[in-house]
Amino acid sequence: MTVVFTFATGVCLWVLQKAWAWVSGRRSPDLLSRVFYIWGVLLENEPTGPPATINGKMLVGWWLVGCLVLATAYRSSLVAHLSVQSKNKPINTLADILNQKGWSWGARLMKGTTFLYFNQSTDPVLVKIHQKYEIYNNIQDAAKRVLAGRFSYIAYKTDILNEIAPLYVDKYGNTPLYFSTTEYNLFGGNAWGFRQGAPIIGQIRKMKQRMIEAGLIDYWLQDLYHAENKHIRETLGKNITVHIKIEDKQVLGMDHLQSAFYLWLLGCTAAFLALLVEKFAHCQVNLRPSQQ
């Protein structure tokens, strides 16, 4: 897209200057020089000064703004790719757990709805997860095992928010743990019981549906989790210090910049060949009059 817009802008500049030259009776520049001029502006090395015409200056001015955006985006992206260390792909699904080599996982002893969800499933992923999971009824021991590495813990969302988050997440949201973004619905829960034919069932259904659609239940649960976490911290009597393990930054070497150096070498080779062709053609032109 950048190449297309560069060529199109050069053509537009050539058309504008050619029209101005036709009106004023001056000599018009050639197309190739205008394209190379626009390309030089993009590379921050324009070969000559700005155009003499007003319309050419306006076009080049707006092209400078576009080049500023492109150059800034390119530099920032290049710096980000070369300075930020690579990260492992996060585990967000149960299938991601099985795709890891030498990985293990655990959960509390599955029973009730959870046991039926895994045991009666025909999904091979759920079947394998259920067959090889380790039992960790103490969620604190499971969290320590997760921090040791190469282990995932499968738990209810409420257990994670009530038992793990208060102890391993500080007030700024920093945590050494990674919480997956995928949630699995077990199609179980609580129910309200009414006598058969109760006249208030319809109204309660409507109000519950309205609260669900309006998101009030989510806000209510967030307030409950926040209050419970605050209560746990006050009960412990001290602030929870989260120790985040940061891997040593890897020094960039030649293997990280192979593609850039290969492209640079290819460009230098092409430029050298073009110089040889140009030099040879120039020598042939200079030799023709002497031979005659």
Coordinates of all heavy atoms in Angstrom, one line a residue, residues 140-183:
Q140 N -4.9 -23.5 47.9 CA -3.6 -22.8 48.1 C -2.4 -23.6 47.6 O -1.5 -23.1 47.1 CB -3.5 -22.4 49.6 CG -4.7 -21.6 50.1 CD -4.8 -20.3 49.4 OE1 -3.8 -19.7 48.9 NE2 -6.0 -19.8 49.2
D141 N -2.5 -24.9 47.9 CA -1.4 -25.8 47.5 C -1.4 -25.9 45.9 O -0.3 -26.0 45.3 CB -1.7 -27.2 48.0 CG -1.5 -27.3 49.6 OD1 -0.9 -26.3 50.1 OD2 -2.1 -28.2 50.2
A142 N -2.6 -25.9 45.3 CA -2.6 -25.9 43.9 C -2.0 -24.6 43.3 O -1.3 -24.6 42.3 CB -4.1 -26.0 43.4
A143 N -2.3 -23.4 43.9 CA -1.7 -22.2 43.4 C -0.2 -22.2 43.5 O 0.5 -21.8 42.7 CB -2.2 -21.0 44.2
K144 N 0.4 -22.8 44.6 CA 1.8 -22.9 44.7 C 2.4 -23.9 43.7 O 3.5 -23.6 43.1 CB 2.2 -23.4 46.1 CG 1.8 -22.5 47.3 CD 2.2 -23.1 48.6 CE 1.8 -22.1 49.7 NZ 2.1 -22.7 51.1
R145 N 1.6 -24.9 43.4 CA 2.1 -25.8 42.3 C 2.1 -25.1 40.9 O 3.0 -25.3 40.1 CB 1.2 -27.0 42.3 CG 1.5 -28.0 41.2 CD 2.8 -28.8 41.4 NE 3.1 -29.6 40.2 CZ 2.6 -30.8 40.0 NH1 1.7 -31.3 40.8 NH2 2.9 -31.5 38.9
V146 N 1.1 -24.2 40.7 CA 1.0 -23.5 39.5 C 2.2 -22.5 39.4 O 2.9 -22.4 38.3 CB -0.3 -22.7 39.4 CG1 -0.3 -21.7 38.2 CG2 -1.5 -23.6 39.2
L147 N 2.6 -21.9 40.5 CA 3.8 -21.0 40.5 C 5.1 -21.7 40.2 O 6.0 -21.2 39.7 CB 3.8 -20.2 41.8 CG 2.7 -19.2 42.1 CD1 2.9 -18.6 43.5 CD2 2.8 -18.1 41.0
A148 N 5.1 -23.0 40.6 CA 6.3 -23.8 40.3 C 6.5 -24.0 38.8 O 7.7 -24.3 38.4 CB 6.2 -25.1 41.1
G149 N 5.5 -24.0 38.0 CA 5.6 -24.1 36.6 C 5.1 -25.4 36.0 O 5.0 -26.4 36.7
R150 N 4.7 -25.3 34.7 CA 4.2 -26.5 33.9 C 3.1 -27.2 34.6 O 3.0 -28.4 34.7 CB 5.4 -27.4 33.7 CG 6.6 -26.8 33.0 CD 7.5 -27.7 32.4 NE 6.9 -28.4 31.2 CZ 6.8 -27.8 30.0 NH1 7.3 -26.6 29.8 NH2 6.3 -28.4 29.0
F151 N 2.1 -26.4 35.2 CA 1.0 -27.0 35.8 C -0.2 -26.0 35.7 O 0.0 -24.8 35.9 CB 1.3 -27.3 37.3 CG 0.1 -28.0 38.0 CD1 -0.1 -29.3 37.9 CD2 -0.7 -27.2 38.8 CE1 -1.2 -29.9 38.6 CE2 -1.8 -27.8 39.5 CZ -2.0 -29.2 39.4
S152 N -1.4 -26.6 35.4 CA -2.6 -25.8 35.4 C -3.6 -26.3 36.4 O -3.7 -27.5 36.6 CB -3.2 -25.8 33.9 OG -2.3 -25.2 33.0
Y153 N -4.4 -25.4 36.9 CA -5.4 -25.8 37.9 C -6.7 -25.4 37.4 O -7.0 -24.2 37.0 CB -5.1 -25.1 39.2 CG -6.0 -25.6 40.3 CD1 -5.9 -26.9 40.8 CD2 -7.0 -24.8 40.9 CE1 -6.8 -27.3 41.9 CE2 -7.8 -25.2 41.9 CZ -7.7 -26.5 42.4 OH -8.6 -26.9 43.4
I154 N -7.7 -26.3 37.4 CA -9.0 -26.1 36.9 C -9.9 -25.9 38.1 O -10.0 -26.8 39.0 CB -9.5 -27.3 36.0 CG1 -8.5 -27.6 34.9 CG2 -10.9 -27.0 35.5 CD1 -8.8 -28.9 34.1
A155 N -10.6 -24.8 38.2 CA -11.4 -24.5 39.3 C -12.6 -23.7 38.9 O -12.7 -23.2 37.8 CB -10.6 -23.7 40.4
Y156 N -13.6 -23.6 39.8 CA -14.7 -22.7 39.6 C -14.3 -21.2 39.6 O -13.3 -20.9 40.3 CB -15.8 -22.9 40.7 CG -16.5 -24.2 40.6 CD1 -16.3 -25.2 41.5 CD2 -17.5 -24.4 39.6 CE1 -17.0 -26.4 41.5 CE2 -18.1 -25.6 39.5 CZ -17.9 -26.6 40.5 OH -18.6 -27.8 40.4
K157 N -15.0 -20.4 38.9 CA -14.6 -19.0 38.8 C -14.8 -18.4 40.2 O -14.0 -17.5 40.6 CB -15.5 -18.3 37.8 CG -15.2 -16.9 37.6 CD -16.1 -16.3 36.5 CE -15.8 -14.8 36.3 NZ -16.7 -14.2 35.3
T158 N -15.8 -18.8 40.9 CA -16.0 -18.2 42.2 C -14.9 -18.6 43.2 O -14.5 -17.7 44.0 CB -17.4 -18.7 42.8 OG1 -17.4 -20.2 42.8 CG2 -18.5 -18.2 42.0
D159 N -14.3 -19.8 43.1 CA -13.2 -20.2 43.9 C -12.0 -19.3 43.6 O -11.2 -18.9 44.5 CB -12.9 -21.6 43.7 CG -14.0 -22.5 44.3 OD1 -14.8 -22.0 45.1 OD2 -14.1 -23.7 43.9
I160 N -11.8 -19.1 42.3 CA -10.6 -18.3 41.9 C -10.7 -16.9 42.4 O -9.7 -16.3 42.9 CB -10.5 -18.3 40.3 CG1 -10.2 -19.7 39.8 CG2 -9.4 -17.4 39.9 CD1 -10.2 -19.8 38.3
L161 N -11.9 -16.3 42.3 CA -12.1 -14.9 42.7 C -12.1 -14.8 44.2 O -11.6 -13.7 44.7 CB -13.4 -14.3 42.1 CG -13.4 -14.2 40.6 CD1 -14.8 -13.7 40.1 CD2 -12.3 -13.3 40.1
N162 N -12.5 -15.8 45.0 CA -12.7 -15.7 46.4 C -11.4 -16.2 47.2 O -11.1 -15.7 48.3 CB -13.9 -16.4 46.9 CG -15.2 -15.7 46.5 OD1 -15.2 -14.5 46.4 ND2 -16.3 -16.5 46.3
E163 N -10.8 -17.2 46.6 CA -9.7 -17.8 47.4 C -8.3 -17.5 46.8 O -7.3 -17.5 47.6 CB -9.9 -19.3 47.4 CG -11.2 -19.7 48.1 CD -11.4 -21.2 48.2 OE1 -10.3 -21.9 48.5 OE2 -12.5 -21.7 48.1
I164 N -8.2 -17.4 45.5 CA -6.9 -17.1 44.9 C -6.6 -15.7 44.7 O -5.5 -15.2 45.1 CB -6.8 -17.9 43.6 CG1 -6.9 -19.4 43.8 CG2 -5.5 -17.5 42.9 CD1 -6.7 -20.2 42.5
A165 N -7.5 -14.9 44.2 CA -7.3 -13.5 43.9 C -6.9 -12.7 45.1 O -6.0 -11.8 45.0 CB -8.5 -12.9 43.2
P166 N -7.6 -12.9 46.3 CA -7.2 -12.0 47.4 C -5.7 -12.3 47.9 O -5.1 -11.3 48.5 CB -8.1 -12.5 48.5 CG -9.3 -13.1 47.8 CD -8.7 -13.7 46.6
L167 N -5.2 -13.4 47.6 CA -3.8 -13.7 48.1 C -2.7 -13.6 47.1 O -1.6 -13.5 47.4 CB -3.8 -15.2 48.6 CG -4.8 -15.5 49.7 CD1 -4.7 -17.0 50.1 CD2 -4.5 -14.6 50.9
Y168 N -3.1 -13.5 45.8 CA -2.1 -13.5 44.7 C -2.3 -12.3 43.8 O -1.6 -12.3 42.8 CB -2.1 -14.8 44.0 CG -1.6 -16.0 44.8 CD1 -2.6 -16.8 45.4 CD2 -0.3 -16.3 44.9 CE1 -2.2 -17.9 46.2 CE2 0.1 -17.4 45.6 CZ -0.8 -18.2 46.3 OH -0.4 -19.2 47.1
V169 N -3.2 -11.4 44.1 CA -3.4 -10.2 43.2 C -3.3 -9.0 44.1 O -4.1 -8.9 45.1 CB -4.7 -10.3 42.5 CG1 -4.9 -9.0 41.6 CG2 -4.8 -11.5 41.6
D170 N -2.4 -8.1 43.8 CA -2.4 -6.9 44.7 C -3.4 -5.9 44.2 O -4.2 -6.1 43.3 CB -1.0 -6.3 44.7 CG -0.5 -5.8 43.3 OD1 -1.4 -5.8 42.4 OD2 0.6 -5.5 43.1
K171 N -3.4 -4.7 44.9 CA -4.4 -3.7 44.6 C -4.2 -3.1 43.2 O -5.2 -2.4 42.7 CB -4.4 -2.6 45.7 CG -3.1 -1.9 45.8 CD -3.1 -0.9 46.9 CE -1.8 -0.1 47.0 NZ -1.8 0.9 48.1
Y172 N -3.1 -3.2 42.6 CA -2.8 -2.7 41.3 C -3.1 -3.7 40.2 O -3.0 -3.4 39.0 CB -1.4 -2.2 41.2 CG -1.0 -1.2 42.2 CD1 -0.2 -1.5 43.3 CD2 -1.5 0.2 42.0 CE1 0.2 -0.5 44.2 CE2 -1.1 1.1 43.0 CZ -0.3 0.8 44.0 OH 0.0 1.7 44.9
G173 N -3.6 -4.9 40.6 CA -3.9 -5.9 39.6 C -2.7 -6.8 39.1 O -2.8 -7.6 38.2
N174 N -1.5 -6.6 39.8 CA -0.3 -7.4 39.4 C -0.5 -8.8 40.1 O -0.9 -8.9 41.2 CB 0.9 -6.7 40.0 CG 1.1 -5.3 39.3 OD1 0.9 -5.1 38.1 ND2 1.6 -4.4 40.1
T175 N -0.1 -9.8 39.3 CA -0.2 -11.1 39.8 C 0.8 -12.0 39.1 O 1.0 -11.8 37.9 CB -1.6 -11.7 39.6 OG1 -1.7 -13.1 40.0 CG2 -2.1 -11.6 38.2
P176 N 1.4 -13.0 39.7 CA 2.3 -13.9 39.0 C 1.5 -15.0 38.3 O 2.2 -15.8 37.6 CB 3.2 -14.5 40.2 CG 2.2 -14.4 41.4 CD 1.4 -13.2 41.2
L177 N 0.2 -15.1 38.5 CA -0.6 -16.1 37.9 C -1.2 -15.6 36.6 O -1.4 -14.4 36.4 CB -1.7 -16.6 38.9 CG -1.2 -17.2 40.2 CD1 -2.4 -17.5 41.1 CD2 -0.4 -18.4 40.0
Y178 N -1.6 -16.6 35.7 CA -2.3 -16.2 34.5 C -3.7 -16.9 34.6 O -3.8 -18.1 34.8 CB -1.6 -16.7 33.3 CG -2.4 -16.4 32.0 CD1 -2.5 -15.1 31.5 CD2 -3.1 -17.4 31.4 CE1 -3.2 -14.8 30.3 CE2 -3.8 -17.1 30.2 CZ -3.9 -15.9 29.7 OH -4.6 -15.6 28.6
F179 N -4.8 -16.1 34.5 CA -6.1 -16.6 34.5 C -6.6 -16.7 33.0 O -6.6 -15.7 32.3 CB -7.0 -15.7 35.3 CG -6.6 -15.6 36.7 CD1 -5.8 -14.4 37.1 CD2 -6.8 -16.5 37.7 CE1 -5.4 -14.3 38.4 CE2 -6.4 -16.4 39.0 CZ -5.7 -15.2 39.4
S180 N -7.1 -17.9 32.7 CA -7.5 -18.1 31.3 C -8.8 -17.3 31.0 O -9.5 -16.9 31.9 CB -7.8 -19.6 31.0 OG -8.9 -20.0 31.8
T181 N -9.0 -17.0 29.8 CA -10.1 -16.2 29.3 C -11.4 -17.0 29.0 O -12.4 -16.4 28.7 CB -9.7 -15.3 28.2 OG1 -9.3 -16.1 27.1 CG2 -8.6 -14.3 28.5
T182 N -11.2 -18.3 28.9 CA -12.3 -19.2 28.5 C -13.0 -19.7 29.7 O -12.4 -20.2 30.7 CB -11.8 -20.3 27.6 OG1 -11.1 -19.8 26.5 CG2 -13.0 -21.2 27.1
E183 N -14.3 -19.6 29.7 CA -15.2 -20.2 30.8 C -16.1 -21.3 30.2 O -16.6 -21.2 29.1 CB -16.0 -19.0 31.4 CG -15.2 -17.9 32.0 CD -16.1 -16.8 32.6 OE1 -17.4 -17.0 32.6 OE2 -15.6 -15.8 33.0

